[in-house]
């Protein structure tokens, strides 16, 4: 329930264990509570129920968006300040004819807001043109329908407010203190050189951050795409079987698929490579002491090693004619090290 106290609820867990969980010797369960609204970004990862995502990726994207937004605002202010003679004369003449501070704020804010709306319309048009290619390339089905999504409209209004009001206020604060005669005599250029240098420095710094971010992300994507993962991942089709009856007859299903001439190898496993593995507790007697280790594991058949072209450093692959292999296992070098054998 909404106002449930997690601490009080946790006190009921021991009784819950005794009533509902038949604990076998050597096994231990640990239940934790998670708010339903947090499950998608939870570190506890309820893999069996729904997909999860690391919230840090959202923070990184938001940070990059803010940098681009700040960069755009600084760039706009810098362009207006660069035309300070023309703008200054206009403001100076209006000051001489009695325009007040509120009028100057209104002028700059309305001008930047109008530019923001025009830029948004152009960006939406470009997005409309490239969206079909984007969906085709990334296998997505995104649709641009601004008026049908209240969240998009809300964020557009927020965006216009930020990039309309903020640059307008900055420019108004720059030009308001200047005397009308000072502006008309073209003496504004020297004063604005310092302002332009500050904004140019900020602009270049933000641009450097964005470019470095793009380089790092592309480098990581290149590594993910081209790095040797230690197994074959090409020309493999994964079929998830959820039917209990078909799972029991997986060997017959495997033999039926192998009858197709284009199929070279078929393997059966409880999960796919790279998926969220089951965590099992293993007991090993090391240095005359029985120790327990939590290791990720997966159940595979005798064709698994050959299909994924895994390299066996020591030992052998599974043999379907050897009944003892039903209880045998293969471990990787990380597990070998964790168990203390190397």
């Amino acid at each position: 329930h909404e106002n449930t106290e997690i601490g009080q609820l946790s006190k009921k867990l021991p009784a819950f264990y005794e009533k509902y969980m038949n604990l076998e010797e050597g096994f231990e369960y640990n239940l934790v509570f998670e708010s339903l609204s947090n499950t998608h970004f939870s570190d506890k990862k309820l893999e069996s129920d729904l997909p999860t995502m690391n919230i840090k990726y959202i923070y990184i994207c938001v940070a990059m968006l803010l940098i681009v937004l700040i960069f755009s605002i600084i760039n706009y202010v810098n362009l207006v300040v660069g035309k300070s003679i023309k703008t200054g004369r206009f403001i100076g003449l209006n000051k001489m004819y009695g325009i007040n501070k509120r009028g100057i704020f209104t002028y700059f804010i309305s001008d930047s807001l109008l530019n923001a709306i025009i830029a948004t319309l152009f960006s939406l048009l470009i997005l409309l043109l490239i969206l079909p290619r984007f969906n085709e390339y990334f296998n997505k089905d995104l649709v641009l329908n601004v008026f049908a999504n209240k969240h998009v409209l809300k964020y557009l209004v927020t965006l216009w407010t930020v990039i309309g009001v903020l640059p307008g206020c900055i420019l108004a604060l720059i030009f308001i203190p200047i005397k009308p005669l000072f502006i008309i005599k073209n003496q504004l250029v020297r004063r604005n050189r310092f302002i332009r240098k500050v904004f140019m420095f900020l602009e270049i710094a933000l641009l450097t951050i964005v470019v470095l971010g793009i380089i790092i992300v592309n480098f990581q994507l290149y590594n993910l795409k081209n790095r040797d993962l230690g197994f074959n991942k090409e020309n493999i089709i994964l079929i998830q079987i959820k039917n209990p009856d078909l799972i029991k007859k997986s060997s017959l299903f495997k033999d039926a698929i192998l009858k197709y001439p284009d199929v070279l190898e078929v393997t059966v496993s409880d999960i796919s490579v790279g998926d969220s593995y089951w965590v099992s507790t293993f007991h090993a007697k090391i240095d005359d002491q029985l120790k327990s280790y939590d290791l990720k594991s997966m159940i595979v058949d005798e064709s698994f090693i050959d299909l994924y072209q895994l390299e066996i450093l020591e030992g052998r692959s599974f043999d379907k004619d050897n009944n003892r292999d039903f209880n045998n296992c293969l471990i990787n070098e990380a597990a070998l090290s964790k168990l203390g054998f190397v």
Side-chain angles (χ1 to χ4, degrees):
H1 295 292
E2 185 175 356
N3 297 319
T4 300
E5 182 65 36
I6 296 297
Q8 296 295 327
L9 192 61
S10 298
K11 294 179 180 179
K12 299 180 180 180
L13 286 178
F16 183 87
Y17 283 138
E18 295 179 5
K19 185 175 181 180
Y20 294 105
M21 308 196 76
N22 184 19
L23 297 179
E24 301 178 20
E25 186 178 353
F27 287 86
E28 180 180 339
Y29 295 93
N30 182 29
L31 294 183
V32 292
F33 291 106
E34 180 62 83
S35 173
L36 189 60
S37 59
N38 297 333
T39 51
H40 187 66
F41 300 107
S42 173
D43 292 334
K44 299 182 178 72
K45 294 187 180 295
L46 305 175
E47 298 98 339
S48 302
D49 300 315
L50 75 169
T52 58
M53 181 180 180
N54 194 332
I55 191 66
K56 292 180 180 178
Y57 296 130
I58 302 295
Y59 293 151
I60 291 172
C61 289
V62 171
M64 293 299 291
L65 287 172
L66 289 175
I67 289 173
V68 172
L69 186 61
I70 296 171
F71 177 83
S72 303
I73 292 173
I74 292 175
N75 188 52
Y76 175 76
V77 172
N78 210 11
L79 289 173
V80 176
V81 173
K83 299 188 300 180
S84 58
I85 295 177
K86 183 179 178 180
T87 307
R89 284 178 177 176
F90 177 79
I91 298 299
L93 288 171
N94 278 274
K95 276 189 172 184
M96 292 177 66
Y97 284 99
I99 190 174
N100 55 19
K101 293 182 179 180
R102 183 176 180 180
I104 296 176
F105 270 101
T106 303
Y107 166 75
F108 281 112
I109 290 174
S110 59
D111 187 60
S112 60
L113 185 59
L114 179 62
N115 282 307
I117 293 174
I118 294 173
T120 303
L121 293 176
F122 272 105
S123 65
L124 290 175
L125 179 61
I126 295 171
L127 183 60
L128 187 64
L129 294 174
I130 67 174
L131 195 57
R133 296 295 301 273
F134 178 89
N135 287 335
E136 180 182 352
Y137 186 80
F138 290 100
N139 194 24
K140 299 292 183 180
D141 54 355
L142 300 178
V143 179
L144 180 62
N145 194 345
V146 177
F147 299 102
N149 193 326
K150 63 179 182 180
H151 296 292
V152 174
L153 286 173
K154 180 179 68 175
Y155 289 126
L156 273 178
V157 172
T158 305
L159 182 66
W160 287 338
T161 303
V162 172
I163 60 180
V165 174
L166 191 57
C169 290
I170 294 173
L171 289 168
L173 292 173
I174 291 174
F175 284 94
I176 281 176
I178 309 301
K179 303 293 183 182
L181 191 62
F182 186 74
I183 295 176
I184 295 173
K185 286 185 176 181
N186 296 338
Q187 296 178 18
L188 185 64
V189 177
R190 184 181 299 175
R191 180 183 182 276
N192 282 346
R193 281 176 183 170
F194 174 74
I195 297 175
R196 289 204 69 192
K197 286 180 180 179
V198 171
F199 281 112
M200 283 295 295
F201 173 78
L202 292 174
E203 199 172 341
I204 294 172
L206 289 174
L207 181 62
T208 304
I209 293 172
V210 172
V211 171
L212 286 175
I214 293 173
I215 293 173
I216 292 171
V217 169
N218 277 279
F219 180 74
Q220 290 177 326
L221 290 175
Y222 178 83
N223 279 340
L224 287 173
K225 188 176 181 180
N226 298 284
R227 187 174 182 178
D228 183 14
L229 300 177
F231 63 89
N232 174 44
K233 57 183 177 66
E234 303 297 333
N235 303 317
I236 295 177
I237 298 176
L238 296 175
I239 303 175
Q240 188 176 14
I241 303 175
K242 294 186 176 181
N243 189 311
D245 295 329
L246 191 57
I247 292 175
K248 295 177 182 178
K249 300 176 182 178
S250 58
S251 59
L252 298 176
F253 182 57
K254 173 181 175 180
D255 293 337
I257 297 178
L258 280 171
K259 291 180 180 179
Y260 290 91
D262 294 329
V263 177
L264 302 180
E265 190 66 80
V266 178
T267 185
V268 179
S269 60
D270 60 339
I271 52 176
S272 60
V273 175
D275 206 343
S276 300
Y277 301 113
W278 297 104
V279 177
S280 302
T281 301
F282 289 84
H283 302 286
K285 193 173 185 180
I286 300 175
D287 297 331
D288 295 329
Q289 291 184 352
L290 188 63
K291 298 182 179 180
S292 298
Y293 300 91
D294 291 332
L295 302 177
K296 294 180 178 180
S297 62
M298 60 188 303
I299 301 172
V300 302
D301 67 359
E302 70 283 350
S303 305
F304 184 87
I305 301 296
D306 293 333
L307 187 142
Y308 285 101
Q309 299 177 10
L310 297 173
E311 180 185 1
I312 298 179
L313 299 179
E314 291 186 27
R316 61 174 176 83
S317 181
F318 299 108
D319 184 0
K320 66 177 181 179
D321 297 324
N322 190 340
N323 294 329
R324 291 182 299 177
D325 277 2
F326 184 80
N327 291 319
N328 287 343
C329 67
L330 286 168
I331 60 174
N332 59 14
E333 291 181 274
L336 195 70
S337 176
K338 186 174 183 178
L339 292 171
F341 292 126
V342 289

